[in-house]
Structures are given as structure tokens and as C-alpha cells.
Amino acid sequence: MRILRRAALFGSVALIAAIGVGYFGRVAQLRSERDALVTSEAQLSARAVDGLIRLIDTAVAVGVEAEVVVDAITVVVPEAATCVIELTGSTDVACDGGDQAMLDQLTDVLADTELGPQPDVARSVVARGDRLQIMAVGPDVAAVTLAPLAPLSGLGAASVSTATAGLEQSLRFEPTTTDGQRWITAPVATAPNILIIASVDSDTPLPTDQKIMIVTLVVLAGLLLALAALTMFRERRQLIERASIDPLTRLPNRLEFETRAEALLSEARRDDHGLCLMLFDLNGFKAINDSYGHQEGDAVLKAVGLRLRNAVREGDVVARWGGDEFVVVLPGIEDASAARNRAMSLAELVASERTPNGHGCTASVGITLFPRHGETLPQLVEQADRAMYAAKRDGVDYRLAGVESAEDVVAQLPGGDRRKASSGVR
């Protein structure tokens, strides 16, 4: 099971990493496609404009009739507005394409221009927003065309503007992002003063279906990761508990007790205050185990452990020392009389505790005080163990370390009253 949980954890992490790599790879692909699109747009538009200019130059140079020039341009660029005037003969004007306002504008351009037969073709190209105005004058005809740029390449997203030679050199070769637009320029071969600028949105959002798929995978991987992590966390916590908590009484075990008691001893040394350690041994526990079974014995241990834990302060430590022995550390208690009173009270609580089946035990308690009976935890435990066995031997509920005789026990009890367990001398 542990191997499966670890595999699930690492698998979910690998899945999230793969989703991230796939996502960024797809975004990079979309950006590459966007740059290829905008580059193609600029180049194709520049070539289309170059081809239109060459067509007009050729038509004017050949000197065909005005209507023929208009028809030729309209075939190439149906959206263009074109006007042509014959410079010889009747000087008729032929116009076609665009709306009436455009045609009127082009007619005005021809009317306001001093035209005359030219030995060679004279031509000018002017950028007007997203349109180009191309004017050419030849020996026999003059033509003005207002051509929308975007449809020329068939890819859209293009705009036209004039640019300096320096700008042409710096922006011609690679796409650039400015103000949320990805754009690139391309020169027109027959009109060096004109740069075609193609632009698209710089954002490259994923298609909706791909977004849904990625979000779904991320959610599933996240749930798998959370489940695996939670399971491993619980497993780790259980391992820690097994290493520090007695599984039967849910009290700290000996190892955990030693860690906590050492911390309390260090605090007592630092703050120069006392500490009391008590070791409890249950009387009659073996008889309960032998007569009623281990299940009833376990019930006695649980009941005693719970009673001791509920009877001490928050900063005190109660632990199962082993078998039918419990240990208690009470910081701040340094007076022998206070320690005896506390031991007597706890011993009475233990003796009054019963299982649901009515079974219980009395306790013999050994008491030590820091630093009176020892400076270290092993010293205090050893002295408490001797005192506890002395109390058991003499049939008293408790004994303070250093008391060697039953008569001394009488002297140390409140009021000189010798207390014995109800079961008799132990």
C-alpha cells in the first residue's frame, strides 16, 4: 500500500508537470503560428502592392484606352476605386470601383493635377491609412487608384503607413510587440518609401475545447495529488504516533515521556524551580489478567490512564512507563509535603477507578523531587522506582525517596495516619 501511495503521489506530480509542459508548449506553438501569420501577411501584402503598382505602370506606359486600364485594375483588385483620363484627344475620364465619394475624390485629384503627356511614366505612391493612393502619368493616359490594402493578401489584419529608412531597417526582419499588438513590416520593391505593416493581437489564447481539457486534467491531477499527500500525511502521523504514543492508553510512551520530561527538567534548571516525579505500580493487576483475561486487564489500564491524565494540570506529563506502571511529572512541586499530598490524592483516584465489569486496582507510588533526589531524569526515575517498591513492600500507598522504614512512613503522612490499601499489606 505504501508503494502504491508513493506511486500515486509521484504520478500526480508528473501529470501536473506534463500538463504544464504541454500547456506552455501549445502556447509557444500558437505564438509561432501567430508570428508566421503576421510575417506572411506583411510579405504577401507588400508583393500584392508591388504587383498592383507594376500593373498600373505597364498599363499607363503602353497607353491603352482609359476603360481598358480601369477594367484591368478592377480585375486584379475588385475593391479598388480607379479613375483614368486620356491625355490626348477628348480627355475623357473613366472611373470604376469603390463608392461615389471615393470616385469623386479621385476625379478631383485628376482635375487638380496639371497633367500632360510624359515621355516616361511618372508615378507616386502615398499611404492613406489602410489604403494606398497610386498615381501614374504616361504619354497617353493618367491613372489614379485608391486600393484597400487588407484584402490584397487574403489574410487580413494588415494596415499601411509610411516609414523612415531607419524604421524600415529596424523593424523589417522580426515581429515586435507594442501596446498589445504583434506587428512586422515589409518594404514594397517598387515604392521604397512605403512599408507594409501587418499586425495581429499579441494574445494567443487557447481554443475553448483545449482550455476545458487542460482545466479538467489539472483538477483531476490536483485531486489525485491532494489525496495521495493526505494519505501519506496520515500515514506519517500514524508512524509518529506509534513511535510516541502508547496504543492502548493513548498516553505518551516511555520514549516520548523521556523527551518531554527532559524538556521540563531543562526548564526547571533554567528557571531554578522544583519538579516532582511519581512512579505508579498497580497492585493486583496480574490477578485480574489471570482471572478475567487480558481484555479486562487492558480495560483497567485504559481506565487508570484516563483517570491520571484527567487529574493533572495542562503542563504536567502522564505516561505509560511499561506493563502496569505509569509515570507522572509535576513541574513546580518542590515541597515534600505537597508532593505527598498529591501522591495520596492520585493514589485514591486510581483505587476508586473501576472498569464496566467492576474491576480495579490500587497503586503504590514512589516519589522523587528535583533537585533533592537527583539532577538527571535517570537518577530521579531510579530513586522513584526504589521508593515505589519500598511502598509496595511496606503496604503503604506512597513513599518519598530516601525513607527507609515503615516508621518513617508514618512520620511523613499528614497527621501521622498510616494509610494502607483496602486489599491489605502489599
Side-chain angles (χ1 to χ4, degrees), residues 12 28 58 108 152 289 293 306 325 331 365 402:
S12 58
T58 301
D108 293 341
L152 295 181
N289 256 346
L306 180 62
E325 293 183 343
V365 187

Side-chain angles (χ1 to χ4, degrees), residues 32-106:
S32 177
E33 292 174 355
R34 174 204 59 195
D35 287 350
L37 170 66
V38 74
T39 300
S40 298
E41 172 69 27
Q43 293 175 350
L44 291 175
S45 294
R47 292 172 185 171
V49 171
D50 181 67
L52 178 61
I53 293 174
R54 293 181 186 275
L55 170 64
I56 296 174
D57 286 350
T58 301
V60 172
V62 171
V64 297
E65 295 180 353
E67 290 82 357
V68 176
V69 177
V70 171
D71 291 342
I73 295 174
T74 303
V75 169
V76 176
V77 187
E79 299 84 357
T82 301
C83 289
V84 179
I85 184 173
E86 296 183 2
L87 300 179
T88 58
S90 62
T91 65
D92 292 333
V93 177
C95 293
D96 189 24
D99 56 29
Q100 189 59 45
M102 291 180 184
L103 297 179
D104 292 342
Q105 178 186 6
L106 295 176

Side-chain angles (χ1 to χ4, degrees), residues 160-212:
V160 179
S161 65
T162 57
T164 63
L167 185 61
E168 174 186 346
Q169 293 298 322
S170 63
L171 298 179
R172 180 185 301 176
F173 300 109
E174 59 181 283
T176 304
T177 300
T178 305
D179 297 331
Q181 291 290 309
R182 189 73 168 169
W183 56 284
I184 191 171
T185 60
V188 177
T190 51
N193 64 314
I194 297 297
L195 288 177
I196 303 301
I197 302 177
S199 64
V200 293
D201 233 347
S202 61
D203 292 336
T204 53
L206 291 177
T208 302
D209 58 336
Q210 295 182 16
K211 285 183 180 178
I212 294 175

Side-chain angles (χ1 to χ4, degrees), residues 158-425:
S159 62
V160 179
S161 65
T162 57
T164 63
L167 185 61
E168 174 186 346
Q169 293 298 322
S170 63
L171 298 179
R172 180 185 301 176
F173 300 109
E174 59 181 283
T176 304
T177 300
T178 305
D179 297 331
Q181 291 290 309
R182 189 73 168 169
W183 56 284
I184 191 171
T185 60
V188 177
T190 51
N193 64 314
I194 297 297
L195 288 177
I196 303 301
I197 302 177
S199 64
V200 293
D201 233 347
S202 61
D203 292 336
T204 53
L206 291 177
T208 302
D209 58 336
Q210 295 182 16
K211 285 183 180 178
I212 294 175
M213 180 183 68
I214 289 177
V215 170
T216 302
L217 290 175
V218 169
V219 170
L220 291 177
L223 290 175
L224 179 61
L225 177 62
L227 181 60
L230 178 61
T231 303
M232 292 191 67
F233 173 77
R234 291 180 60 184
E235 179 185 86
R236 180 175 178 82
R237 187 174 63 180
Q238 290 171 356
L239 288 174
I240 294 174
E241 283 190 0
R242 284 197 290 269
S244 60
I245 301 298
D246 175 57
L248 179 63
T249 63
R250 305 305 298 168
L251 294 174
N253 58 20
R254 179 180 293 198
L255 180 62
E256 180 66 13
F257 166 77
E258 290 175 348
T259 301
R260 297 188 188 183
E262 288 289 0
L264 292 176
L265 274 175
S266 297
E267 183 179 336
R269 294 189 192 98
R270 184 182 67 246
D271 299 337
D272 194 24
H273 63 68
L275 178 146
C276 176
L277 184 145
M278 299 181 185
L279 190 61
F280 290 72
D281 182 81
L282 300 184
N283 302 307
F285 178 76
K286 184 176 184 301
I288 293 176
N289 256 346
D290 293 342
S291 301
Y292 304 103
H294 290 287
Q295 185 173 0
E296 187 66 12
D298 289 346
V300 170
L301 293 176
K302 290 179 182 178
V304 171
L306 180 62
R307 177 58 67 95
L308 288 174
R309 182 173 57 192
N310 292 337
V312 301
R313 301 164 299 179
E314 183 178 352
D316 300 337
V317 177
V318 178
R320 186 181 179 190
W321 189 245
D324 60 347
E325 293 183 343
F326 295 85
V327 63
V328 178
V329 173
L330 307 169
I333 296 181
E334 51 192 33
D335 179 70
S337 178
R340 288 193 294 265
N341 289 335
R342 195 77 179 99
M344 182 173 63
S345 173
L346 293 175
E348 289 176 348
L349 285 175
V350 171
S352 66
E353 187 63 35
R354 291 290 183 270
T355 67
N357 294 326
H359 300 116
C361 295
T362 59
S364 297
V365 187
I367 310 167
T368 54
L369 296 173
F370 167 83
R372 177 176 169 181
H373 300 115
E375 294 282 344
T376 66
L377 182 62
Q379 291 172 350
L380 293 173
V381 171
E382 180 182 2
Q383 293 297 321
D385 188 62
R386 291 180 180 178
M388 180 264 293
Y389 278 107
K392 185 182 289 289
R393 179 196 64 205
D394 293 335
V396 295
D397 291 337
Y398 59 87
R399 175 166 290 182
L400 185 66
V403 177
E404 298 297 337
S405 66
E407 288 72 17
D408 292 333
V409 174
V410 175
Q412 69 172 312
L413 293 174
D417 180 23
R418 181 176 184 181
R419 303 182 60 87
K420 295 185 179 181
S422 57
S423 60
V425 178

